[in-house]
Amino acid sequence: MDFPVTFHIFGKTVLAHPLFEAVGMFLGMRYYFYLKRKSKEKLSFNTSAAVLIGATAGALIGSKLIGNLENPYVLFENFSIRKFWSNNTIVGGLAFGLIGVELAKKIVHHKESTGDLIVFPLMFAMIIGRIGCFLTGIYEETYGIPTRSVFGMHLGDQYLRHPVALYEIGFLMMLWIVLQYIQNQKKYRSGFIFQLFMLSYFIFRFFLDFIKPRIEIIGNIGTIQLVCLCVIIYYIYQIKNPRSLYLKYSR
């Protein structure tokens, strides 16, 4: 396979990453609305709109901000709007999307969790997006460091590299199976599946980034790993009392 994989659309050459990212977002949203129609939990229009706006705004800001802070030296020394807009990361999108949703829920005075329904559509979109990351090879910053292991692949240069996008796809598929099993048990309160997804994914990303090129900010960890640590601590605090997670059944 030759990297990067490109597609010719309306006379223009398009990299696989943005194309698959757009397709993933579209299909993920369609999957979400499908699950929402089937769900017994109905949110008011004001709550749904507030959550959607909060999640979108937070994810947009966070993905750009954290994406650019991966290399703060370049950001502050050679700042440009075009480059700032082109850098993004799912870690920042998830973390700040969470903040946006929580702020929106406070504004409309909604206290119940709204996250479980988005988990599987979000994972679906991420899997499709990571296929695009893999097909783009080293031409966007979603590749691994050189390796001599059996997993090494040529991604567009002379080095065998960790195909971190494939690692993430494999992880998300396994996590999907686990979360689906837990959800089918119907023992936990609303919000637990989302909490477990966020905790699992950010732990995975914290360790995955050790085999990705990064600028070390504190010790040997980078900006994305610092964000991961903050989210991990937050969700450990959220689910530290297992008894509060179980559904209460009347007798």
Side-chain angles (χ1 to χ4, degrees):
M1 180 182 293
D2 294 326
F3 293 93
V5 174
T6 58
F7 299 88
H8 297 283
I9 303 175
F10 301 118
K12 293 186 177 181
T13 300
V14 181
L15 286 172
H17 188 186
L19 180 62
F20 275 75
E21 192 174 64
V23 171
M25 290 175 63
F26 174 76
L27 294 179
M29 287 301 294
R30 298 311 305 166
Y31 186 22
Y32 170 73
F33 287 124
Y34 167 75
L35 293 178
K36 193 171 186 295
R37 286 194 298 269
K38 292 179 59 180
S39 175
K40 295 179 181 179
E41 298 180 7
K42 303 297 181 182
L43 298 177
S44 67
F45 173 79
N46 288 342
T47 300
S48 295
V51 168
L52 181 61
I53 293 171
T56 303
L60 182 63
I61 294 170
S63 65
K64 304 297 180 185
L65 179 62
I66 303 303
N68 281 274
L69 287 176
E70 284 188 77
N71 193 340
Y73 309 108
V74 172
L75 172 64
F76 295 116
E77 290 177 4
N78 301 294
F79 180 81
S80 73
I81 295 296
R82 182 176 180 180
K83 188 170 184 179
F84 183 88
W85 189 255
S86 65
N87 287 336
N88 58 78
T89 172
I90 186 65
V91 167
L94 288 174
F96 279 71
L98 169 67
I99 295 172
V101 168
E102 293 303 320
L103 289 176
K105 284 165 60 178
K106 287 186 180 297
I107 292 173
V108 298
H109 306 291
H110 184 82
K111 296 182 180 180
E112 298 299 321
S113 174
T114 57
D116 284 355
L117 204 60
I118 197 63
V119 169
F120 297 110
L122 179 59
M123 294 174 69
F124 184 47
M126 290 168 67
I127 289 170
I128 295 175
R130 286 310 183 201
I131 294 173
C133 292
F134 170 70
L135 295 177
T136 306
I138 64 165
Y139 294 89
E140 288 189 1
E141 296 181 1
T142 53
Y143 53 88
I145 60 175
T147 178
R148 295 181 179 179
S149 74
V150 296
F151 301 109
M153 296 182 64
H154 286 292
L155 299 176
D157 59 10
Q158 70 271 30
Y159 300 106
L160 287 170
R161 294 181 177 274
H162 283 288
V164 291
L166 296 185
Y167 296 167
E168 187 165 331
I169 290 171
F171 170 78
L172 289 171
M173 287 180 171
M174 289 188 291
L175 183 61
W176 187 309
I177 294 171
V178 172
L179 294 181
Q180 189 71 68
Y181 174 79
I182 294 173
Q183 187 179 64
N184 291 340
Q185 302 306 302
K186 298 181 179 179
K187 294 180 179 180
Y188 300 96
R189 291 188 181 277
S190 176
F192 177 65
I193 298 299
F194 181 75
Q195 292 174 347
L196 196 56
F197 160 72
M198 291 287 279
L199 179 61
S200 301
Y201 180 73
F202 278 87
I203 289 174
F204 170 79
R205 276 303 304 266
F206 175 79
F207 289 106
L208 183 72
D209 272 51
F210 281 114
I211 56 172
K212 294 177 67 176
R214 69 190 186 283
I215 302 297
E216 296 177 349
I217 303 299
I218 298 178
N220 66 335
I221 64 176
T223 301
I224 285 181
Q225 291 170 302
L226 288 173
V227 175
C228 288
L229 283 176
C230 292
V231 176
I232 290 167
I233 292 170
Y234 172 77
Y235 276 107
I236 289 176
Y237 174 78
Q238 289 292 309
I239 63 177
K240 67 178 182 179
N241 183 7
R243 292 184 179 180
S244 67
L245 296 172
Y246 287 98
L247 288 169
K248 293 181 180 179
Y249 296 99
S250 58
R251 296 182 179 179

